[in-house]
Amino acid sequence: MAEPYEDLTVDVLIVGSGPLGCTFARKLYEKGRSIFMVDAGAKLSQVPGWHLKNSFLYQRNVNEFTGLVQSHLHKLSVPQNHSVVPTLDPGAFQVDETKPYITNNANPEQNPYLNLPDASATYGVGGMATHWTACTPREHPSERTDLITDEQWDVLYRAAEKLLNTNQNMFDDTKINEFGGGAPDGVTHFIRNHLVRDTLRSTYPDLKEEKSIPQYLPLAGVRRKDAPEFITWSGADTVLGEEMLNALETPNKTGNQFQLKEMWQCRELVYEGTDRGTRKVRYAVVRDLLKKKYYHIQATTMVIAAGAVLTPQILFNSRIRPPALGHYLCDQPLAFCQVVLLQSIVDSIMDNPVWRGMVEKYQLDHPNDPIPIPLSDPSPQCWIPVSDNRPWHCQIHRDAFSYGGVGPNVDTRLIVDLRWFGKMEPRFENYVDFSSKVDNKDTFGMPQPTFHVELSKDEGAAAHKMMGDMLVAAESLGGFLPGAEPSFQPPGQSLHITGTCRMGNSEQDSVVDVYSKVWGFDNLYLGTCGVIPTGTTCNPTITAMAMAIHACEQIPAGKVN
């Protein structure tokens, strides 16, 4: 029997409240459109989509943030594990392992050798931008799709960077008075950022060009003017902007509207043919998860922005299945280690007369602190961009991830994280598909994703070479922190999946056109890193936002009946 439902009619329906859904929302709202946004996750903060690292606790001790990140990552495909547990009490209930069954949403269709075991989704208003690193580098020109011209890319990137407050000034003591900069606790010289950046420049003397030399990371955020020791990290709320956030609190009765519904899950799109030979989404089937109530939401424009895996999941469940859906998936091999700064590097601090004066003043107030680095010294935030002879993206910094947590007995002023991101080329053979079996659903009752992904021999060789390069940088900076020696992280750990809804020129090898509109549909657009059609090494969010802005340029302005 069909579930009872209520009809709703809106102007623009956006599914997903991460940075990409909010980019569509912001740009279409500016064009006079009314926005109705739904997200399967709950609101995690008073301000919708707020970056949780803005909390006082995490600003003071970023290590505490690791556990929060871990708790907000929901693994997408976990193979079944029927390993014997020989220590189980013989009197306890035991299952007959010879009979097939599914527990805890484990995926019986997942080949563990082809899985992305750490590929995850975040269910919450704001998506992964509630806990992301806010690293927002542009793709190297060699990695960008040529479906958009270089001139267009530059304009689109600048627009996306403006939405996110991206800058390189927060950790650069020569840019204290520029946008995003500031002097934490009055400190005007950032010791560790100079030490790390200058050590890297000495280690890689051939990297001299402005775009390839070791430098400060482009990050989305600004130091607070009233208290520069605190950073306001950008989240989805930053993309929405004050006007749209105010519209949630005080709806505009005469102009365009903005509404946001938490824990409303889009399950399916129902469409029909048009007299132009195309298709049009009639309505979205949306469920209020807590009230168990269904809605059929009709909209003039539909945008699905639910992530690189859950976006194609919705299309699959809607029987919208172009040949490229889920295929050409690209992940990023990720090498990681942590080092404790070399004694010689720490000793060199006192050789700098400006730093020596700072440290001596600090030691007068903290006579029992053996480390000559003031507590207010900003953590290192550096990177080595991709260049023609170095096809990997390198981050040398200190931050919190779902891995690399530092124990309470380690002073993090001495710790530096090294993360080297490699590249996969898009191939049809690497893909995510979705189960058609009625008993293989995910936690939200949707078709279970299953990954089929492996590196080619050339990609494996490149990853090995990348690891060697990371070891060169690590050796120049410090000794390995026990327990954080160099290793490759599990596939999917980068959380940078692309290609699953790729942009292209043909429905045969892509899902959307150059304006992110699904082939053959008049009113269906996708906002996800899955739209990126090329292999990339860097954090993909700013690139996908640029592509979303490009899409909004083509979507009509004003309320459309």
Side-chain angles (χ1 to χ4, degrees):
M1 185 174 69
E3 294 279 356
Y5 63 88
E6 179 180 333
D7 282 320
L8 289 178
T9 300
V10 302
D11 183 17
V12 178
L13 173 65
I14 298 179
V15 177
S17 61
L20 297 171
C22 289
T23 298
F24 272 94
R26 172 73 175 270
K27 287 302 177 181
L28 295 180
Y29 188 84
E30 290 176 349
K31 295 178 76 170
R33 305 294 295 271
S34 289
I35 308 300
F36 193 93
M37 179 178 282
V38 301
D39 197 294
K43 193 168 71 167
L44 306 175
S45 54
Q46 183 177 359
V47 178
W50 190 66
H51 197 311
L52 299 174
K53 196 164 62 176
N54 291 329
S55 162
F56 175 85
L57 172 64
Y58 305 130
Q59 297 263 348
R60 285 302 188 195
N61 186 358
V62 73
N63 294 318
E64 298 280 356
F65 201 58
T66 297
L68 183 144
V69 176
Q70 292 171 337
S71 69
H72 284 256
L73 292 175
H74 176 86
K75 286 184 169 33
L76 290 167
S77 183
V78 179
Q80 284 188 307
N81 183 353
H82 294 312
S83 300
V84 175
V85 185
T87 55
L88 180 65
D89 185 327
F93 175 81
Q94 299 190 40
V95 174
D96 182 356
E97 297 290 351
T98 64
K99 297 180 180 179
Y101 68 98
I102 299 174
T103 59
N104 300 322
N105 291 106
N107 182 7
E109 299 176 51
Q110 180 64 67
N111 180 341
Y113 294 99
L114 300 178
N115 193 19
L116 299 181
D118 278 20
S120 304
T122 292
Y123 289 96
V125 172
M128 287 199 182
T130 57
H131 57 73
W132 68 328
T133 63
C135 297
T136 49
R138 298 184 180 191
E139 284 185 341
H140 186 266
S142 65
E143 296 180 337
R144 300 174 197 164
T145 175
D146 58 8
L147 295 169
I148 297 173
T149 67
D150 290 342
E151 293 77 13
Q152 288 175 311
W153 271 122
D154 187 56
V155 172
L156 294 170
Y157 270 129
R158 281 191 278 112
E161 289 161 353
K162 184 176 180 181
L163 284 182
L164 274 176
N165 290 335
T166 290
N167 65 88
Q168 291 178 278
N169 304 334
M170 288 187 288
F171 294 87
D172 185 346
D173 58 13
T174 68
K175 304 288 181 64
I176 283 174
N177 296 318
E178 296 189 22
F179 176 78
D185 289 331
V187 172
T188 56
H189 298 279
F190 302 168
I191 295 174
R192 284 177 294 168
N193 277 280
H194 276 287
L195 287 175
V196 171
R197 185 198 65 177
D198 294 347
T199 299
L200 292 170
R201 289 184 174 183
S202 297
T203 304
Y204 297 100
D206 294 337
L207 300 178
K208 297 179 180 179
E209 295 184 8
E210 181 181 354
K211 293 184 178 181
S212 62
I213 193 170
Q215 57 193 269
Y216 299 124
L217 262 171
L219 296 165
V222 294
R223 290 196 179 274
R224 283 174 44 177
K225 295 296 184 184
D226 59 334
E229 63 270 27
F230 298 125
I231 291 173
T232 300
W233 294 102
S234 298
D237 63 313
T238 311
V239 179
L240 289 174
E242 289 187 13
E243 183 178 350
M244 292 193 71
L245 292 173
N246 290 337
L248 286 175
E249 299 293 329
T250 308
N252 185 346
K253 296 182 179 180
T254 57
N256 49 338
Q257 310 287 317
F258 176 42
Q259 297 182 66
L260 170 59
K261 300 294 185 180
E262 61 176 324
M263 291 182 282
W264 281 35
Q265 177 203 18
C266 178
R267 299 185 58 83
E268 182 182 356
L269 305 175
V270 177
Y271 57 91
E272 62 186 2
T274 70
D275 55 10
R276 296 181 299 279
T278 58
R279 292 172 288 179
K280 177 181 179 180
V281 177
R282 288 179 54 214
Y283 60 83
V285 178
V286 176
R287 189 187 191 207
D288 182 330
L289 294 171
L290 292 185
K291 294 182 179 180
K292 298 183 178 180
K293 181 177 181 179
Y294 282 87
Y295 296 88
H296 288 186
I297 303 179
Q298 302 177 54
T300 306
T301 302
M302 301 270 188
V303 179
I304 309 300
V309 175
L310 302 185
T311 294
Q313 181 191 58
I314 292 172
L315 297 187
F316 178 88
N317 202 44
S318 307
R319 291 162 294 283
I320 301 173
R321 303 172 185 176
L325 186 69
H327 289 264
Y328 301 98
L329 185 155
C330 292
D331 185 33
Q332 294 174 345
L334 172 57
F336 168 73
C337 68
Q338 291 173 308
V339 298
V340 182
L341 287 174
L342 290 173
Q343 183 73 49
S344 59
I345 290 179
V346 177
D347 289 345
S348 72
I349 293 173
M350 300 305 283
D351 295 335
N352 184 306
V354 175
W355 295 352
R356 183 172 65 247
M358 291 171 51
V359 172
E360 289 173 345
K361 181 179 178 182
Y362 170 76
Q363 290 175 334
L364 287 175
D365 296 329
H366 302 81
N368 296 320
D369 189 344
I371 301 175
I373 300 173
L375 288 168
S376 56
D377 183 65
S379 61
Q381 299 289 340
C382 300
W383 74 313
I384 306 175
V386 173
S387 53
D388 292 337
N389 297 320
R390 293 174 52 82
W392 41 75
H393 168 81
C394 313
Q395 294 179 190
I396 310 93
H397 57 155
R398 178 83 270 275
D399 208 337
F401 291 75
S402 61
Y403 56 96
V406 175
N409 61 328
V410 178
D411 194 311
T412 59
R413 286 175 292 174
L414 299 173
I415 306 302
V416 178
D417 303 344
L418 291 88
R419 295 177 171 86
W420 260 234
F421 298 81
K423 183 168 69 170
M424 292 178 66
E425 294 296 340
R427 296 189 300 278
F428 185 84
E429 295 77 19
N430 285 332
Y431 64 98
V432 58
D433 62 6
F434 304 93
S435 180
S436 298
K437 298 180 179 179
V438 295
D439 62 345
N440 194 13
K441 305 290 186 182
D442 68 11
T443 302
F444 287 78
M446 294 289 282
Q448 171 64 50
T450 300
F451 293 104
H452 309 264
V453 182
E454 56 184 340
L455 296 175
S456 69
K457 289 183 179 180
D458 287 344
E459 289 163 349
H464 175 74
K465 187 176 180 180
M466 177 182 75
M467 172 65 84
D469 184 67
M470 186 182 75
L471 296 179
V472 171
E475 184 181 9
S476 73
L477 288 167
F480 297 120
L481 179 68
E485 293 84 1
S487 65
F488 282 100
Q489 294 301 295
Q493 178 63 262
S494 70
L495 306 177
H496 294 166
I497 291 174
T498 60
T500 53
C501 307
R502 70 195 309 247
M503 178 183 289
N505 286 319
S506 165
E507 187 174 359
Q508 298 308 309
D509 60 4
S510 61
V511 178
V512 298
D513 66 14
V514 71
Y515 288 105
S516 300
K517 186 164 68 170
V518 176
W519 289 107
F521 279 82
D522 290 343
N523 65 338
L524 178 56
Y525 297 82
L526 305 184
T528 162
C529 292
V531 168
I532 299 173
T534 54
T536 182
T537 60
C538 68
N539 317 63
T541 300
I542 199 76
T543 297
M545 285 181 62
M547 298 168 86
I549 292 170
H550 188 53
C552 291
E553 293 173 350
Q554 189 260 354
I555 299 174
K559 186 172 182 180
V560 180
N561 293 320

